[in-house]
């Protein structure tokens, strides 16, 4: 059993290394493709013709395959938390290759992830021996897991049908909640399929059981749903916020589902369970610290005061009258408007205008949209 867990651990670490590296390789490819055409963030697809991007994609596929095989040999409570190691790999490689500085707090986050992962590995439960898909089916149809599955589906439907149309664009927990709950069922189905493939390769054909195909259909449905709402979350919210929250919720629900279905903690001492939970909390803390040190994504327009084109010069008199002096194209003044003093209550405006003394002043390059 320990040998099986060791195989799963090695595969999970290899998977994290490949997946973490793929992020950097794909980003290099995206940057290279963006030089010669529209960037992916602007709706361009030029990266599909960039060989470096495809190298990154192949690297990610290899990592995902290794992660899939890891679930065959080790319990989900061991494999899933180790996914945090991919964050460390990508952060370190980004520091050296992409010149994205890894700050001291980021190094602390990496250290916390490593320490937490070590604790989890040392106290991980043993993988139970399963000889057929029918055994997995019995585990999946036990009352406790059926209750979990029904609850997960009900929560997902409420989030999809009611919350997503109303709050999806403003509340980050809606899309991530759907991904995390459905993701836990994805992992259970993938693990069942992996075990079926392993037993088939060992000489016991599992394709003859209808349960194998049910697990396959559930896995495909869950993966499509999960990826769809994960893409929506990434497209709507900052990646630096989405990643740690998604990792925390997805890993928590997966550990809960695995504990219910496979009874991973059965026979373990209270100290071992407590140690593993502490290791998991340490990994979550490290992930949060690491992501908190990332530079935020640069928006196309940072705020209201970003200069627009064409630029306009404005004159302001002591009586509060405001008129356009000249556009960049050299056109003459076309209108006069009055701007209320209470519009300039922001900190930025108070630094530029002196309304107390009503001193005539000139503000150049001050963009307004009328």
């Amino acid at each position: 059993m320990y040998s099986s867990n060791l195989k799963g651990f090695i595969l999970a670490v290899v998977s994290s290394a490949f997946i973490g590296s793929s992020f950097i390789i794909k980003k290099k490819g995206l940057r290279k493709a963006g030089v010669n055409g529209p960037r992916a963030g602007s709706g361009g697809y030029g990266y599909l013709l960039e060989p470096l991007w495809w190298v990154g994609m192949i690297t990610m596929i290899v990592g995902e395959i290794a992660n899939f095989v890891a679930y065959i040999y080790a319990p989900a409570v061991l494999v899933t938390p180790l996914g945090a190691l991919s964050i460390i790999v990508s952060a370190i490689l980004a520091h050296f290759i992409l010149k994205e500085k890894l700050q001291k707090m980021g190094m602390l986050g990496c250290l916390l992830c490593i320490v937490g992962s070590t604790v989890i590995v040392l106290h991980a439960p043993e993988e139970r021996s399963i000889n057929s898909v029918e055994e997995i089916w019995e585990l999946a149809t036990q009352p406790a897991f059926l209750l979990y599955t029904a609850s997960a589906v009900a929560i997902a439907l409420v989030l999809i049908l009611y919350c997503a149309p109303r709050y999806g664009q403003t509340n980050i927990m809606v899309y991530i909640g759907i991904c995390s709950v459905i993701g836990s069922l994805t992992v259970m189905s993938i693990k069942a399929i992996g075990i079926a493939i392993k037993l088939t390769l060992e000489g016991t054909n599992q394709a003859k059981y209808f349960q194998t195909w049910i697990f396959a259909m559930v896995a495909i449905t869950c993966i499509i749903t999960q990826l769809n709402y994960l893409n929506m979350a990434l497209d709507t919210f900052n990646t630096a916020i989405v990643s740690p929250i998604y990792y925390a919720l997805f890993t928590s629900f997966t550990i809960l589902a695995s504990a219910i279905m496979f009874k991973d903690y059965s026979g373990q001492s209270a100290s071992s369970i407590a140690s593993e939970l502490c290791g998991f909390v340490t990994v979550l803390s490290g992930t949060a610290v690491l992501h908190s040190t990332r530079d935020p994504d640069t928006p196309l327009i940072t705020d209201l005061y970003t200069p627009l084109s064409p630029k306009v010069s404005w004159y302001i008199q002591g009586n509060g009258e405001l008129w356009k002096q000249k556009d960049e194209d050299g056109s003459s003044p076309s209108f006069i408007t009055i701007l209320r003093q209470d519009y300039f209550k922001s900190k930025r405006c108070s630094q530029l205008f002196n309304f107390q003394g009503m001193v005539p002043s000139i503000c150049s390059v001050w963009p307004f949209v009328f």
Side-chain angles (χ1 to χ4, degrees):
M1 290 300 178
Y2 285 109
S3 175
S4 179
N5 274 12
L6 180 60
K7 292 179 182 178
F9 166 73
I10 294 174
L11 287 168
V13 172
V14 171
S15 169
S16 297
F18 274 91
I19 293 175
S21 301
S22 71
F23 293 148
I24 307 303
I25 298 173
K26 287 199 296 182
K27 190 165 185 177
K28 289 279 288 185
L30 288 171
R31 288 183 176 181
K32 190 175 180 181
V35 174
N36 301 319
R39 299 176 62 89
S42 303
Y45 295 97
Y47 61 88
L48 295 176
L49 302 177
E50 175 57 48
L52 191 58
W53 185 86
W54 283 106
V55 171
M57 195 65 187
I58 294 173
T59 304
M60 173 172 280
I61 293 174
V62 172
E64 292 296 348
I65 293 175
N67 191 59
F68 172 77
V69 179
Y71 280 111
I72 299 176
Y73 292 99
V77 295
L78 170 62
V79 176
T80 305
L82 292 177
L85 297 179
S86 64
I87 301 175
I88 299 177
V89 173
S90 62
I92 294 175
L93 291 179
H95 177 78
F96 291 103
I97 298 176
L98 301 179
K99 307 304 179 182
E100 297 178 358
K101 186 177 181 181
L102 181 61
Q103 303 176 9
K104 291 183 179 179
M105 289 300 294
M107 297 179 184
L108 175 61
C110 292
L111 180 61
L112 288 174
C113 288
I114 294 173
V115 171
S117 299
T118 302
V119 174
I120 291 175
V121 170
L122 293 177
H123 297 87
E126 299 177 358
E127 174 77 340
R128 63 183 298 168
S129 177
I130 296 178
N131 299 317
S132 70
V133 173
E134 290 180 319
E135 290 186 33
I136 307 176
W137 182 258
E138 291 178 2
L139 296 174
T141 54
Q142 58 184 320
F145 189 73
L146 287 177
L147 178 61
Y148 174 84
T149 303
S151 301
V153 172
I155 292 173
L157 288 176
V158 170
L159 291 174
I160 292 172
L161 300 178
Y162 180 80
C163 297
R166 294 171 175 81
Y167 314 110
Q169 297 295 317
T170 57
N171 193 328
I172 192 173
M173 298 303 295
V174 175
Y175 292 150
I176 294 182
I178 298 171
C179 297
S180 302
V181 173
I182 296 298
S184 65
L185 300 179
T186 301
V187 172
M188 297 302 102
S189 303
I190 288 295
K191 186 173 179 66
I193 296 172
I195 293 175
I197 294 175
K198 176 188 174 184
L199 293 174
T200 300
L201 294 177
E202 291 176 350
T204 306
N205 185 17
Q206 301 297 309
K208 62 183 179 181
Y209 298 109
F210 73 92
Q211 293 93 336
T212 303
W213 302 105
I214 292 180
F215 282 127
M217 288 187 292
V218 171
I220 293 173
T221 303
C222 290
I223 289 173
I224 294 174
T225 305
Q226 184 181 356
L227 291 178
N228 177 54
Y229 285 96
L230 180 58
N231 286 331
M232 294 175 69
L234 292 172
D235 186 57
T236 306
F237 303 98
N238 193 305
T239 306
I241 302 175
V242 172
S243 297
I245 297 177
Y246 174 62
Y247 173 80
L249 289 181
F250 170 69
T251 306
S252 300
F253 280 113
T254 299
I255 290 176
L256 177 61
S258 181
I260 295 174
M261 180 173 174
F262 292 98
K263 297 181 173 60
D264 293 321
Y265 294 106
S266 179
Q268 276 199 305
S269 63
S271 61
S272 295
I273 296 175
S275 297
E276 188 165 356
L277 292 177
C278 289
F280 176 53
V281 172
T282 304
V283 172
L284 291 181
S285 302
T287 303
V289 170
L290 182 58
H291 277 278
S292 67
T293 62
R294 291 181 53 184
D295 294 330
D297 296 337
T298 304
L300 294 177
I301 299 178
T302 55
D303 55 24
L304 179 63
Y305 308 107
T306 302
L308 301 177
S309 181
K311 297 178 181 178
V312 181
S313 298
W314 302 83
Y315 287 99
I316 296 181
Q317 288 186 331
N319 59 6
E321 291 186 357
L322 172 70
W323 70 89
K324 182 170 63 173
Q325 180 205 22
K326 186 178 182 180
D327 291 336
E328 283 187 340
D329 59 4
S331 61
S332 59
S334 58
F335 65 87
I336 297 176
T337 183
I338 305 299
L339 197 62
R340 296 180 305 171
Q341 289 186 17
D342 58 359
Y343 189 87
F344 296 98
K345 288 183 178 179
S346 68
K347 181 179 179 181
R348 177 76 175 269
C349 295
S350 64
Q351 294 174 349
L352 295 175
F353 298 95
N354 183 4
F355 286 109
Q356 294 180 351
M358 289 298 179
V359 179
S361 59
I362 297 177
C363 176
S364 298
V365 197
W366 183 268
F368 288 94
V369 179
F370 290 93

